[in-house]
Structures are given as structure tokens and as C-alpha cells.
């Protein structure tokens, strides 16, 4: 950090906010959002002037499955419910190739009115996104690349992967701290390396396993990120994301414009607290362990469920998952590991 | 020792898949590779073939057109686009063809499930690696529970086992595997997911099959599954059931692991191995009838 960051600090005057409450929060309520919840939330988010409202299954389009949890309503129903009420805010979705395909998922999402797509892969696998990113770009829609579990790569290797996404047509690249494993200096280094290696927008997505989500997000903005994810009350997988109301308030204090209106945002958070959030994200023991083990926050719910069923210690499961370097989508490993731990 | 005359076969496509097939065929009691055909004689596959004393050519399919009586079976490991062209020509030459590309021209073939149905086909395709691993299981589920409501297949493969073609054709992989599972199980709804895992050392291919059925009968399923796994193991020795069948949250869960034979491809590439093993098993079945 140091001097270099101080220089940048004077240059940054605005940032785009991407609200992931209805997408990352889907992990937290086991993918059970209703049409009414999506409609009401979007109406209020639109009033608060949030730039982008991201919705959908926690793992994005086409991810509703037994492996990851089935959504109560279809992707199409979710998109249509949100679309009705987002007049000034943009409607965003998350897409992971391997779950979603262009034919089955992306084309219908375009037809239903999605404005912005974020095509994601595990941090080492950017080339899986080539066709999807190019297709969306060529269709004339806004597309960003997302690199998940980015803490597993060095900043230089991360930049190589980001460069691929740029070459496919991504307008920017978001690096995700899916395991909530970063400290502020890790984030600063990555933003700086990404900015110097790929001259396109950089975004950051935080998780709060080690209590760093807000400061990591602020650090990302100060070092040059132009797109930041957050969710109201931090509602997201595991210990949650950067708490959006806190983030926007801090941005006001340091005079960086997010375009979000604070009071309506606070109202939105109150609404969500009553009608959306089934359980507040807390930094529970398992979250700390998953952050330390470098395991995707979305694993917490299924790990606890399997631990309860099998009698295995969830902390042991996490460290085993960490050792095996499992990634999102490999939830089937949980049961196998738990069974091995308890000796069948 | 009785000497049986082996059936002459050819391989088109000298990449990883083709080279691994060559090694597998060299062990076969029924098959002999008499032509290894690519586009570049200096490629590693071509050099291996030469060192094994196999006739090589860089003339692609025209080599077969010029020598129409050389092979009775062709393995096509080129690309979907190329196979579209090759299929017709090979049929006109009365050469049986096993398609290892995603072209989907011929009959879908999963040896443990429908090898008998494929005996008279001119062109069969071996679907996808995930298809070869999961379809026998989906089929077993449907034998015990006709018309399952929903089948989901999640495969995880080592990143390093997925070459450029696999990576660029993820969507095609998903669509083709889904079509295969519906066809062989009669399931109304099907979903296929593929994960690439970059862990080092590389993980073996793993496939999980989930199913929602009316009145699950695990005892009967175990029985049917054991039988089918025995059949698969006859051509994919390292195909192993690692979990299940169990009932978890009202859904059937079965998990298998596939290790490769480590012929040309490393043993973690069970995904590539299983598709080649299936192709060789089919060809041997044809050959067995002819010798």
C-alpha cells in the first residue's frame, strides 16, 4: 500500500455498486426467494438508485440443482419479477459455464431483459468463459468476467487469467474473495497488478469470514477498482458479503460517490431485515475455519447439513475440503469426506 | 497357441485421444491398427505410431479413400466438423465407424448398456466422457424405477485433462450428455454439470448421479447396479463405485470414480480413458463376430 495508494486516493471520485443481496443471499436462504420478495426488493433498490441489482441462484443461471440446492422459482420467473421494477437500476446475473449454457440459459435471459452479465470461472479456468463472454458481447450486452476463489492465485497469475477474459470481450474483470481469505494489503496488490496488466475496469467481491469485507472493499476502491459488490446487512453465503449500507456510508464519509441514496438504502435494509433475511450472517466458528482453510463460503450450509447427518465435526470437514482444494460445484465431496471422517 | 487373424483398423486424428487409442489397440486380441492418420507426420502421436511399426499417413481421410480395403473399422478422433464429412464417405466405403467427436451422426453407444443394439450400425458415437460414466447408472436407476422424474449428473475432472477442444465445447458437452441420459433412462428432466478442478496433484475423474424417483427401492437398485458395474469393469477396469446407492434427502445418490489405464494419457485422465475404452470395446465386439 503506502505512497502509491495515497496518490490514487485523490483520483478516485466515484464507484459503481453491484447489489448481490438477491444472488449471493440466495446461498444463505437455500435458494428459496419468492417472486414477491424479488419484486418488493427490486422496487426499493431502484428507489435507492443502486446501479446494478444482481439476482438469481447463488451459483447463477442454470445452477438450480440437487447438487447445489434447487431454487423455488425458475430463473425466468426471477428475471421477470426483477425486470418489472428495475427502471433505472440495471438488472444483472451471474453465469458459470459448466452450469449454464448459451442456448439453455443465456439466450433466454437476454430475451427476458437482463442488462448485464458476469461470466465467472474458478480463478485458473478463464478459458471456459470464452464462448459465453464473446457471445454476450457480440449480442450487444454488457459483460464482465469474474474470477472466483482468486486468493488461490498469485496477483501475476490472476492478471494472466483476467487478460484472457478481456481478450474474449469482457469490459471489466471482478476478482472474487469467495473464501473471505484476503487482508487489505492482498486486495490492494491485486487491484494494482490488474490495473497495470489489463487496462480495463477492475471489480471486487468480498466475503466477511475474517471480518475484512468492508475495509477490503474500501481498499479496492481506493486503489482503483470501479465496481464493488455488497449486500444489505451483508446477506450472502457463509459469513456474508460487504454490508452495503456500511460501505455506502463510509464512501460518503470519504467523499466517493456511489450514486446510491443513503436513506432509501437504509430503508431497503430495514425491509430486507423484515422480509428477506431468514438469518443474519454471522462470523461463526465454521466461517472463520472456512476462511482460514480457503474454502468457498457457499460450502458452509451444506457442510453443516452433512455434519449433522453424519456426526462428523464440521471443522474437520472444512480443513479436509481445504486440503483437497475443492471448488464451488464440488459439493458432492462433502458427503464423501464426512463419511470417511466418521468411518462410514 | 492359436493364431487368429486380427481385424485391421485405422485411427484418424493423431492427438491425445488417437494416440491413447493406438496403445490400447496394440493390446487387443481382435484388433490391429494398420493406419494411423493425421495431418502432421512430426506430431508426437505420429512418431509414437512409427516407433511401434504402425503405418502412418498425413493425408487425412483421402488416405483411406485411396486404400479402401485397408481397414474394416475406423476410429475418428478428429473434430465434429470433420466427422460430418467423414461419416458419409466411410459408409459408402462400407467401413464401420466409431465417432469420438461430438458430431452425433450415428447411434449413441454405451457398451455396458446397448452394445447388442449397435452390432448392425455403420456409425456409432461414444457420446461424452461424463456420458460413458453416468449413463449406465442412469439406466440402472430406470430399470428399477421406470421413467424417473429427474436425473442429475455432476462430473468433476482434472483441469489438466481438459484440452482446448473440451474447454471450448463445454456447452456441447452438457447438451450431448443430457441427450444421452434422457435417451437411456427415459427421465423427464435431466441436468448435467461439469466442474474442472485445478488441484495439484490432479484428481481422478469423479461422477455423481442424483435421481428423484417414485418409491425408491435401494435394495433392488444395489443389485442391478452391481451387475452393470461388473460389465463396465470388463472394459474400464478402474471404474469404481465409491458411494451409494444411498437415499439422502429423498434423492438417490451414487458416486463413481474413474481412473485411467495410463496408456498414453496420465491415469488421472479417467475421463479420456473411459471414452477410449468404450470405443475399443465396441470395435472388439464387431471384430469378434468377424474373426
Amino acid at each position: 500500500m503506502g505512497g502509491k495508494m495515497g496518490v490514487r486516493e485523490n483520483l478516485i471520485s466515484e464507484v459503481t455498486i453491484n447489489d448481490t443481496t438477491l444472488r449471493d443471499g440466495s446461498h444463505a436462504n437455500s435458494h428459496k426467494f419468492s417472486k414477491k420478495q424479488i419484486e418488493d426488493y427490486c422496487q426499493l433498490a431502484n428507489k435507492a438508485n443502486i446501479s446494478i441489482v444482481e439476482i438469481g441462484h447463488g451459483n447463477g443461471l442454470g445452477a438450480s440443482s440437487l447438487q447445489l440446492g434447487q431454487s423455488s422459482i425458475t430463473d425466468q420467473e426471477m428475471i421477470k419479477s426483477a425486470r418489472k421494477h428495475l427502471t433505472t437500476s440495471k438488472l444483472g446475473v451471474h453465469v458459470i459455464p459448466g452450469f449454464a449454457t448459451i442456448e439453455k440459459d443465456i439466450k433466454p435471459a437476454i430475451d427476458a431483459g437482463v442488462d448485464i452479465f458476469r461470466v465467472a470461472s474458478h480463478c485458473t479456468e478463464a478459458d471456459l468463459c470464452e464462448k459465453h463472454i464473446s457471445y454476450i458481447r457480440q449480442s450487444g450486452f454488457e459483460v464482465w468476467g469474474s474470477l472466483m476463489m482468486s486468493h488461490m492465485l498469485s496477483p501475476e497469475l490472476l492478471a494472466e487469467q483476467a487478460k484472457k477474459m478481456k481478450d474474449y470481450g469482457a469490459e471489466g474483470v471482478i476478482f472474487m474473495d469467495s473464501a473471505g481469505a484476503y487482508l487489505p494489503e492482498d486486495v490492494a496488490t491485486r487491484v494494482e497488478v490488474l490495473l497495470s496488466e489489463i487496462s480495463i475496469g477492475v471489480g471486487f467481491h468480498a466475503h466477511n469470514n475474517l471480518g475484512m469485507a468492508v475495509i477490503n472493499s474500501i481498499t479496492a476502491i481506493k486503489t482503483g477498482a470501479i465496481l464493488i459488490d455488497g449486500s444489505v446487512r451483508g446477506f450472502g453465503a457463509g459469513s456474508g458479503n460487504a454490508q452495503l449500507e456500511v460501505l455506502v456510508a463510509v464512501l460518503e464519509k470519504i467523499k466517493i460517490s456511489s450514486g446510491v441514496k443513503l436513506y432509501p438504502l437504509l430503508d431497503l435494509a430495514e425491509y430486507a431485515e423484515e422480509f428477506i433475511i431468514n438469518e443474519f450472517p454471522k462470523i461463526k466458528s465454521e466461517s472463520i475455519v472456512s476462511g482460514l482453510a480457503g474454502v468457498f463460503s457457499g460450502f458452509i450450509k451444506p457442510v453443516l447439513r452433512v455434519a449433522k447427518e453424519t456426526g462428523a465435526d464440521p471443522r474437520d470437514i472444512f480443513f479436509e475440503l481445504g486440503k483437497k482444494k475443492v471448488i464451488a460445484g464440488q459439493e458432492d465431496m462433502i458427503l464423501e469426506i464426512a463419511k470417511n471422517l466418521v468411518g462410514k | 497357441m492359436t493364431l487368429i487373424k486380427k481385424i485391421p483398423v485405422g485411427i484418424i486424428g493423431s492427438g491425445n485421444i488417437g494416440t491413447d487409442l493406438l496403445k490400447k489397440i496394440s493390446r487387443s486380441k481382435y484388433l490391429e491398427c494398420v493406419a494411423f492418420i493425421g495431418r502432421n507426420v512430426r506430431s508426437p502421436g505420429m512418431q509414437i505410431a512409427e516407433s511401434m511399426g504402425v503405418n502412418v499417413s498425413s493425408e487425412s481421410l483421402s488416405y483411406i479413400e485411396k486404400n479402401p480395403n485397408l481397414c474394416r473399422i475406423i476410429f475418428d478422433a478428429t473434430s465434429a466438423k470433420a466427422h460430418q464429412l467423414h461419416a458419409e464417405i466411410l459408409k459408402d466405403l462400407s467401413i464401420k465407424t466409431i465417432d469420438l467427436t461430438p458430431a452425433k451422426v450415428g447411434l449413441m453407444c454405451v457398451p455396458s448398456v446397448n452394445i447388442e443394439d449397435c452390432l448392425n450400425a455403420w456409425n456409432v458415437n461414444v457420446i461424452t466422457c461424463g456420458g460413458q460414466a453416468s449413463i449406465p447408472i442412469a439406466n440402472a436407476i430406470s430399470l428399477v424405477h421406470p421413467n424417473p422424474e429427474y436425473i442429475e449428473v455432476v462430473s468433476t475432472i482434472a483441469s489438466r485433462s481438459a484440452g482446448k477442444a473440451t474447454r471450448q465445447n463445454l456447452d456441447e458437452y452438457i447438451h450431448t450428455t443430457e441427450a444421452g441420459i434422457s435417451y437411456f433412462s427415459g427421465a423427464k428432466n435431466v441436468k448435467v454439470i461439469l466442474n474442472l478442478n485445478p488441484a495439484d496433484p490432479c484428481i481422478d475423474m469423479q461422477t455423481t448421479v442424483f435421481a428423484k424417483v417414485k418409491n425408491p427401492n435401494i435394495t433392488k437398485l444395489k443389485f442391478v447396479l452391481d451387475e452393470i458395474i461388473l460389465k463396465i469393469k470388463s472394459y474400464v477396469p478402474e471404474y469404481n463405485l465409491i458411494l451409494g446407492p444411498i437415499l439422502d434427502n429423498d434423492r438417490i445418490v451414487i458416486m463413481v470414480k474413474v481412473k485411467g489405464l495410463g496408456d498414453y494419457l496420465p491415469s488421472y485422465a479417467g475421463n479420456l480413458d473411459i471414452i477410449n475404452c468404450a470405443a475399443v470395446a465396441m470395435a472388439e465386439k464387431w471384430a469378434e463376430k468377424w474373426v
Side-chain angles (χ1 to χ4, degrees):
Chain A
M1 289 160 84
K4 203 174 166 192
M5 189 179 143
V7 176
R8 283 195 180 278
E9 224 168 293
N10 300 327
L11 303 175
I12 308 296
S13 61
E14 53 178 53
V15 66
T16 300
I17 295 291
N18 182 71
D19 178 355
T20 60
T21 311
L22 294 182
R23 201 277 301 161
D24 214 316
S26 173
H27 287 295
N29 85 342
S30 309
H31 316 290
K32 294 293 175 263
F33 289 135
S34 68
K35 281 189 206 173
K36 172 126 178 64
Q37 285 174 316
I38 295 173
E39 285 180 14
D40 293 348
Y41 186 91
C42 286
Q43 206 164 7
L44 294 170
N46 197 69
K47 260 191 206 155
N49 205 34
I50 293 171
S51 309
I52 306 161
V53 178
E54 188 172 280
I55 61 145
H57 185 282
N59 298 68
L61 292 180
S64 171
S65 56
L66 293 176
Q67 165 90 335
L68 302 169
Q70 289 180 314
S71 308
S72 342
I73 57 174
T74 65
D75 289 347
Q76 280 287 307
E77 288 170 320
M78 288 190 238
I79 295 169
K80 284 176 183 158
S81 307
R83 184 69 281 169
K84 270 193 257 175
H85 299 285
L86 298 177
T87 54
T88 48
S89 302
K90 286 182 184 169
L91 168 54
V93 292
H94 184 65
V95 177
I96 307 178
F99 294 109
T101 74
I102 295 172
E103 282 303 318
K104 292 198 300 174
D105 307 288
I106 295 177
K107 283 186 183 172
I110 287 178
D111 292 341
V114 168
D115 299 308
I116 167 166
F117 290 83
R118 306 190 350 162
V119 182
S121 74
H122 182 71
C123 57
T124 52
E125 312 296 319
D127 50 6
L128 299 178
C129 305
E130 177 173 357
K131 288 213 168 157
H132 310 78
I133 290 177
S134 336
Y135 177 82
I136 296 163
R137 183 67 183 264
Q138 280 160 18
S139 308
F141 290 86
E142 192 175 344
V143 57
W144 282 62
S146 289
L147 292 164
M148 304 185 286
M149 299 292 283
S150 61
H151 73 284
M152 291 173 89
L153 276 187
S154 70
E156 291 69 27
L157 290 175
L158 190 65
E160 269 177 32
Q161 296 286 320
K163 170 88 171 38
K164 289 186 183 180
M165 289 179 150
K166 178 192 173 186
D167 294 344
Y168 305 149
E171 288 157 61
V173 174
I174 301 137
F175 68 106
M176 304 183 103
D177 186 13
S178 314
Y182 282 138
L183 300 179
E185 51 266 38
D186 303 321
V187 174
T189 313
R190 278 165 178 80
V191 175
E192 280 164 3
V193 172
L194 284 173
L195 279 177
S196 64
E197 297 293 315
I198 54 161
S199 44
I200 52 171
V202 170
F204 177 64
H205 173 94
H207 275 277
N208 203 34
N209 298 57
L210 301 177
M212 296 284 146
V214 171
I215 186 62
N216 280 349
S217 302
I218 295 290
T219 305
I221 297 167
K222 282 188 174 179
T223 33
I226 57 166
L227 180 76
I228 292 291
D229 287 3
S231 57
V232 299
R233 297 292 190 258
F235 194 51
S239 52
N241 304 110
Q243 189 171 344
L244 195 53
E245 321 81 275
V246 179
L247 189 63
V248 167
V250 175
L251 288 172
E252 287 210 355
K253 189 159 182 169
I254 59 175
K255 307 230 167 356
I256 294 174
S257 163
S258 66
V260 181
K261 297 178 192 155
L262 186 61
Y263 282 9
L265 174 64
L266 295 176
D267 293 342
L268 173 68
E270 300 285 330
Y271 158 79
E273 186 166 339
E274 286 302 321
F275 296 102
I276 303 271
I277 297 169
N278 53 327
E279 191 189 345
F280 287 101
K282 273 190 293 233
I283 307 180
K284 295 181 189 164
S285 307
E286 307 84 46
S287 302
I288 297 169
V289 172
S290 78
L292 283 178
V295 174
F296 171 47
S297 307
F299 274 45
I300 291 176
K301 281 231 158 178
V303 164
L304 291 179
R305 182 174 71 78
V306 171
K308 203 172 160 193
E309 279 171 19
T310 55
D313 186 325
R315 294 167 296 194
D316 290 342
I317 299 181
F318 270 115
F319 283 117
E320 283 301 310
L321 288 166
K323 264 189 233 158
K324 290 199 152 75
K325 291 194 179 168
V326 298
I327 59 173
Q330 274 188 283
E331 283 76 353
D332 49 356
M333 296 289 288
I334 300 169
L335 193 58
E336 192 199 346
I337 285 170
K339 293 217 163 198
N340 283 335
L341 282 170
V342 297
K344 303 266 162 175
Chain B
M1 199 174 98
T2 50
L3 268 179
I4 50 165
K5 195 169 158 17
K6 291 184 180 180
I7 297 296
V9 305
I11 297 169
I12 315 180
S14 58
N16 287 342
I17 289 275
T19 311
D20 188 73
L21 269 174
L22 176 69
K23 296 223 162 180
K24 287 186 167 46
I25 290 168
S26 72
R27 280 196 305 265
S28 172
K29 272 196 293 184
Y30 300 103
L31 310 173
E32 182 182 3
C33 183
V34 297
F36 189 74
I37 306 162
R39 279 184 304 206
N40 176 6
V41 277
R42 277 192 294 274
S43 68
M46 294 288 234
Q47 294 187 358
I48 289 171
E50 272 195 319
S51 74
M52 290 166 68
V54 174
N55 187 22
V56 301
S57 161
S58 58
E59 287 180 81
S60 215
L61 192 70
S62 39
Y63 182 74
I64 296 296
E65 289 179 274
K66 283 181 203 158
N67 303 283
N69 298 317
L70 191 62
C71 306
R72 291 192 68 183
I73 299 171
I74 288 286
F75 294 85
D76 191 344
T78 55
S79 68
K81 221 176 184 175
H83 185 72
Q84 303 277 8
L85 302 172
H86 297 168
E88 196 72 11
I89 299 168
L90 290 166
K91 197 184 166 201
D92 288 344
L93 296 173
S94 298
I95 297 174
K96 291 245 195 196
T97 303
I98 297 180
D99 171 20
L100 293 108
T101 78
K104 290 182 270 190
V105 175
L107 194 63
M108 287 192 268
C109 169
V110 181
S112 58
V113 179
N114 74 334
I115 201 162
E116 299 293 330
D117 302 338
C118 297
L119 283 176
N120 295 320
W122 281 104
N123 185 316
V124 298
N125 81 77
V126 281
I127 317 174
T128 61
C129 62
Q132 288 297 334
S134 64
I135 286 170
I137 296 174
N139 181 256
I141 292 170
S142 73
L143 291 175
V144 181
H145 317 90
N147 303 313
E149 275 166 45
Y150 176 73
I151 292 187
E152 180 176 311
V153 172
V154 184
S155 291
T156 303
I157 60 174
S159 275
R160 269 159 58 193
S161 73
K164 204 170 176 224
T166 308
R167 289 167 179 273
Q168 289 198 327
N169 292 305
L170 262 196
D171 282 15
E172 287 77 2
Y173 163 88
I174 291 174
H175 298 153
T176 306
T177 312
E178 285 180 350
I181 292 164
S182 306
Y183 177 77
F184 285 101
S185 72
K188 289 179 212 115
N189 290 304
V190 168
K191 178 155 191 71
V192 166
I193 294 171
L194 183 67
N195 292 306
L196 275 75
N197 187 307
D200 191 15
C202 293
I203 53 143
D204 296 324
M205 179 200 196
Q206 191 155 310
T207 292
T208 304
V209 180
F210 296 98
K212 275 187 182 172
V213 301
K214 283 200 188 87
N215 310 318
N217 184 339
I218 295 292
T219 319
K220 196 167 170 196
L221 179 59
K222 255 185 194 145
F223 199 75
V224 176
L225 203 59
D226 281 348
E227 216 169 311
I228 205 148
I229 286 175
L230 218 58
K231 271 194 203 167
I232 303 169
K233 282 174 94 72
S234 71
Y235 60 94
V236 193
E238 292 293 325
Y239 181 98
N240 288 308
L241 183 67
I242 57 171
L243 181 80
I246 57 163
L247 211 53
D248 175 47
N249 252 358
D250 282 331
R251 59 209 182 176
I252 295 172
V253 187
I254 297 163
M255 206 183 278
V256 296
K257 189 170 267 190
V258 188
K259 239 192 207 145
L261 294 168
D263 286 323
Y264 178 62
L265 302 161
S267 66
Y268 62 75
N271 44 315
L272 305 176
D273 209 73
I274 191 171
I275 205 161
N276 276 355
C277 287
V280 172
M282 185 68 240
E284 286 186 333
K285 189 78 181 177
W286 283 336
E288 208 182 310
K289 302 268 169 194
W290 295 332
V291 289

